[in-house]
Amino acid sequence: MLIVKTIAEARRIVWRWKAEERTIGLCPTMGYLHEGHLSLMQASVRDNDITVASIFVNPMQFAPNEDLTKYPRDFERDCKMLEKEGVDMVFAPEPSEMYRDDFCTFVDMTVVSEGLCGRSRPVMFRGVCTVLTKLINIIYPNRMYMGKKDAQQLAVVRRMVRDLNFNLKVVGCPTVRESDGLAKSSRNTYLSPEQRQASRILSRTLRHAQETIAAAGIGQGGGEAGADGAGSAGAGLSSADMIARMEEELRTEPMADIDYVEIVDGLSMQPVQTLHEGDLVAMAVRIGDTRLIDNFIVGDPLIEIGE
Amino acid sequence: MLIVKTIAEARRIVWRWKAEERTIGLCPTMGYLHEGHLSLMQASVRDNDITVASIFVNPMQFAPNEDLTKYPRDFERDCKMLEKEGVDMVFAPEPSEMYRDDFCTFVDMTVVSEGLCGRSRPVMFRGVCTVLTKLINIIYPNRMYMGKKDAQQLAVVRRMVRDLNFNLKVVGCPTVRESDGLAKSSRNTYLSPEQRQASRILSRTLRHAQETIAAAGIGQGGGEAGADGAGSAGAGLSSADMIARMEEELRTEPMADIDYVEIVDGLSMQPVQTLHEGDLVAMAVRIGDTRLIDNFIVGDPLIEIGE
């Protein structure tokens, strides 16, 4: 497995692969890998001749008050895990290699990036779009693999690729969970044992919402009541009611501090009045200082929460 | 010569050329071509196997109060001129092909884009960067040709290509002028005969500035006084003095309304205190409703102003 630190060397290697007409899958990460990341690698190894993983804790997507410096890192462990998955190249540049002192270009987005996590983390998606544009221009992937756990990020990147005509396919991979339902995240490492226990409230609340939605016959391939007009009986589940229920359940956990619970269109990330297949039900919740996110798409399989 | 209106068709053709390992030059234009544009085509035809010209009056780079709807257009004449130059493909999409209704991604820049024209036209460079990112992602050029007349645009695009790691060379082509010195521009067509006469003040003022700078021994390959400290004798020409002189000369023309006269570093577009080789001396002047720009780089050959 090649470990590459500079853009120039990455380009040289990638262009050799391109000349040989090999397909390339890119899995962008911030390192400190868990099974969620590895599932991206597995998908890429399956679909492409070459798999490139990037490890870059991107300063541009952290606000000054966020956890850039304490973000967990373990490059050697990461490399061992990636090698085992059959990754061909790790691209792990220093921040100074990616951003010169006079760097001043940004890829930015409105609409899709503005609700949900974009509200409490306004610089994040600018950072994500900018660094991914750079990585795409360095690695020229045929496919790029991203986790569905970061649902808004996935929607933002799909929109960026469409709007700016990047010539690649964005592949969303299912959220990987702990046995009790907690979505895998590098930030889970911040949790104390008590906080870890409390964090189960996220996936439980989502699972219960899934059950409610399924019981209403929504998201089961056309089982909806159909009529969408206001006031018509059986016009479906109101988002506001669903959100209120979910917030109520989250508040049963005293350690949980709700950042948001939102229900939005799966592509545009704009709030919806009533629930339909393909909508995103998403939340961000602070447990102590740690901000956790989780979500499902209406119509997805039920989340396994153990017990 | 191929005339292509859709992104999908352009991609199909370009990828065939790419598979044959042909080099591609891209000359982005807003049409209504003049000899300045044609000099880009000639440079591209000389340097590359394939030359693609784009004709697209980019709505995103016009503010609501600007001349989007009245911007001059003559597609058939443009195509005849391009065919004669040996251009292989004209890419001329409709605005709806480039920007869907829910388009919401932007390539933006600080610093380099903020002074000069960026001050009076704050949305322009966002529009330029966004549309060029799209064109680069559709055409995959090896080289992109742009006029030095739009000096800040050239600096912005060079910075964007560097910052976002686009894999192409940006080639700046010299300003083409009328015999009396007026820089060629599609907007010159807006000028009445009296305004056309008045517009000579731009190139004349620039030429006189060039003479002053040359007389001071600056920009002639190391002929500078050297000492740069404030107050030292012979420390070179002060930008403020030079700008004041130029503004004074511009004001001798009653029809000229100065938007800006600035002297900036040729790469960063940041104001400089004293003049050095490579600095950009640039102006924007309104003659009636028409905003004209012109410039030189310190060290460039003297502008020919006729007589």
Side-chain angles (χ1 to χ4, degrees):
Chain A
M1 187 177 71
L2 298 162
I3 296 176
V4 173
K5 297 274 190 181
T6 69
I7 294 168
E9 192 188 347
R11 274 199 199 288
R12 269 196 300 276
I13 295 165
V14 163
W15 286 102
R16 213 163 52 220
W17 286 328
K18 285 285 178 197
E20 295 165 356
E21 298 193 6
R22 306 227 240 169
T23 58
I24 298 177
L26 171 64
C27 306
T29 82
M30 299 208 299
Y32 212 75
L33 305 176
H34 52 65
E35 288 85 342
H37 297 108
L38 300 185
S39 76
L40 308 181
M41 310 298 156
Q42 288 151 14
S44 174
V45 168
R46 187 188 61 220
D47 297 346
N48 302 281
D49 300 324
I50 297 287
T51 291
V52 177
S54 64
I55 297 181
F56 183 61
V57 182
N58 177 27
M60 200 194 284
Q61 72 196 64
F62 289 79
N65 61 323
E66 290 180 342
D67 56 346
L68 172 62
T69 51
K70 73 162 188 166
Y71 196 85
R73 295 161 212 239
D74 191 340
F75 187 62
E76 284 190 30
R77 180 172 150 278
D78 288 345
C79 285
K80 276 186 202 132
M81 293 168 82
L82 293 172
E83 181 140 40
K84 212 188 261 179
E85 297 297 341
V87 167
D88 299 279
M89 174 171 124
V90 178
F91 180 55
E94 292 296 319
S96 60
E97 175 74 4
M98 293 292 270
Y99 302 114
R100 294 203 206 183
D101 285 345
D102 58 354
F103 189 96
C104 64
T105 311
F106 303 92
V107 182
D108 225 328
M109 191 173 292
T110 59
V111 188
V112 182
S113 67
E114 287 168 349
L116 307 165
C117 292
R119 196 169 295 120
S120 44
R121 303 190 66 193
V123 303
M124 183 172 65
F125 292 118
R126 158 185 278 217
V128 167
C129 288
T130 303
V131 80
L132 288 181
T133 293
K134 289 172 66 69
L135 288 172
I136 291 168
N137 283 342
I138 295 164
I139 306 297
Y140 279 91
N142 301 79
R143 298 183 189 85
M144 185 159 69
Y145 294 81
M146 309 191 71
K148 289 185 178 176
K149 197 205 100 194
D150 298 304
Q152 188 180 16
Q153 173 173 281
L154 183 59
V156 162
V157 173
R158 284 191 201 281
R159 179 61 65 91
M160 176 185 84
V161 165
R162 189 204 78 175
D163 280 356
L164 298 184
N165 306 106
F166 284 104
N167 196 30
L168 64 101
K169 188 168 157 33
V170 178
V171 182
C173 298
T175 302
V176 178
R177 298 177 179 279
E178 305 288 352
S179 59
D180 66 355
L182 179 65
K184 300 254 186 187
S185 166
S186 306
R187 289 189 172 98
N188 292 350
T189 186
Y190 298 151
L191 299 169
S192 71
E194 297 72 29
Q195 291 172 336
R196 173 67 187 77
Q197 188 66 18
S199 67
R200 302 172 67 187
I201 194 66
L202 280 86
S203 49
R204 276 195 202 179
T205 301
L206 289 172
R207 163 66 184 244
H208 296 150
Q210 284 186 306
E211 290 169 359
T212 304
I213 293 165
I218 300 167
Q220 305 181 311
E224 291 178 57
D228 203 89
S232 70
L237 226 46
S238 135
S239 297
D241 290 350
M242 190 76 240
I243 290 169
R245 259 169 104 144
M246 292 173 71
E247 290 185 339
E248 195 178 342
E249 181 168 357
L250 287 169
R251 276 193 288 265
T252 63
E253 170 50 62
M255 298 180 85
D257 177 17
I258 300 171
D259 180 359
Y260 69 78
V261 178
E262 290 195 48
I263 303 179
V264 297
D265 176 82
L267 292 177
S268 71
M269 301 286 113
Q270 297 305 290
V272 293
Q273 297 296 311
T274 55
L275 278 148
H276 297 88
E277 184 154 357
D279 289 344
L280 174 71
V281 180
M283 57 170 61
V285 175
R286 275 177 208 284
I287 307 283
D289 290 336
T290 304
R291 188 172 170 282
L292 301 174
I293 60 173
D294 203 351
N295 67 80
F296 64 86
I297 300 279
V298 177
D300 274 356
L302 292 178
I303 294 169
E304 301 281 352
I305 55 169
E307 290 157 318
Chain B
M1 187 179 71
L2 298 163
I3 297 176
V4 174
K5 297 274 190 180
T6 69
I7 294 167
E9 192 187 349
R11 274 198 200 286
R12 269 196 300 275
I13 295 166
V14 164
W15 285 103
R16 213 162 53 220
W17 285 329
K18 285 286 178 195
E20 295 164 357
E21 299 194 5
R22 307 228 240 168
T23 58
I24 298 177
L26 171 64
C27 305
T29 84
M30 298 209 299
Y32 213 75
L33 304 176
H34 52 65
E35 289 85 341
H37 297 108
L38 300 185
S39 75
L40 308 181
M41 309 300 156
Q42 289 151 14
S44 174
V45 168
R46 188 188 61 222
D47 298 345
N48 302 280
D49 300 324
I50 296 286
T51 291
V52 176
S54 63
I55 297 181
F56 183 61
V57 183
N58 177 28
M60 200 194 284
Q61 72 195 64
F62 290 79
N65 62 323
E66 290 181 342
D67 57 346
L68 172 62
T69 52
K70 72 162 190 167
Y71 196 86
R73 295 163 212 240
D74 191 340
F75 187 63
E76 284 190 28
R77 179 172 151 278
D78 288 346
C79 284
K80 277 186 202 134
M81 293 168 82
L82 293 172
E83 181 140 41
K84 211 187 262 177
E85 297 297 341
V87 167
D88 300 280
M89 173 172 126
V90 178
F91 180 55
E94 292 297 320
S96 59
E97 175 73 4
M98 293 293 269
Y99 302 114
R100 294 204 205 182
D101 286 344
D102 58 354
F103 189 96
C104 65
T105 312
F106 303 93
V107 182
D108 225 328
M109 191 174 293
T110 59
V111 187
V112 182
S113 67
E114 287 168 351
L116 306 165
C117 291
R119 196 169 294 122
S120 43
R121 303 189 66 193
V123 304
M124 182 171 67
F125 291 119
R126 160 185 277 218
V128 168
C129 288
T130 303
V131 79
L132 288 181
T133 293
K134 289 172 65 69
L135 288 171
I136 292 168
N137 283 343
I138 296 164
I139 307 296
Y140 280 91
N142 301 80
R143 298 182 189 85
M144 183 158 71
Y145 295 80
M146 310 191 71
K148 289 185 178 176
K149 197 206 99 195
D150 298 305
Q152 188 181 15
Q153 173 173 282
L154 183 59
V156 162
V157 173
R158 285 191 200 281
R159 180 60 67 90
M160 176 185 84
V161 164
R162 188 203 76 174
D163 280 356
L164 298 184
N165 306 106
F166 284 105
N167 196 30
L168 64 100
K169 189 168 154 37
V170 179
V171 182
C173 298
T175 301
V176 178
R177 296 177 180 281
E178 305 289 350
S179 59
D180 67 354
L182 179 66
K184 300 255 186 189
S185 166
S186 306
R187 289 189 171 98
N188 292 350
T189 185
Y190 298 151
L191 300 169
S192 71
E194 298 71 28
Q195 290 172 336
R196 173 66 187 78
Q197 188 66 19
S199 68
R200 301 172 66 188
I201 194 66
L202 280 85
S203 48
R204 276 195 204 179
T205 300
L206 289 173
R207 163 65 183 245
H208 295 150
Q210 284 186 306
E211 289 169 0
T212 304
I213 292 166
I218 300 167
Q220 303 180 311
E224 290 179 56
D228 203 89
S232 69
L237 226 46
S238 134
S239 298
D241 290 351
M242 191 76 242
I243 290 168
R245 260 168 104 143
M246 293 173 71
E247 290 185 339
E248 195 178 341
E249 182 167 356
L250 288 169
R251 276 192 287 265
T252 63
E253 169 50 63
M255 298 180 85
D257 177 17
I258 300 170
D259 180 357
Y260 69 77
V261 178
E262 289 196 46
I263 303 178
V264 297
D265 175 82
L267 292 177
S268 71
M269 301 286 114
Q270 296 306 288
V272 294
Q273 296 296 310
T274 56
L275 279 147
H276 297 89
E277 185 156 357
D279 288 345
L280 174 72
V281 180
M283 56 172 60
V285 175
R286 275 177 207 284
I287 307 282
D289 289 337
T290 304
R291 188 172 171 282
L292 300 174
I293 60 172
D294 203 351
N295 68 80
F296 64 87
I297 298 279
V298 177
D300 274 356
L302 290 177
I303 294 168
E304 300 282 351
I305 57 170
E307 292 156 314

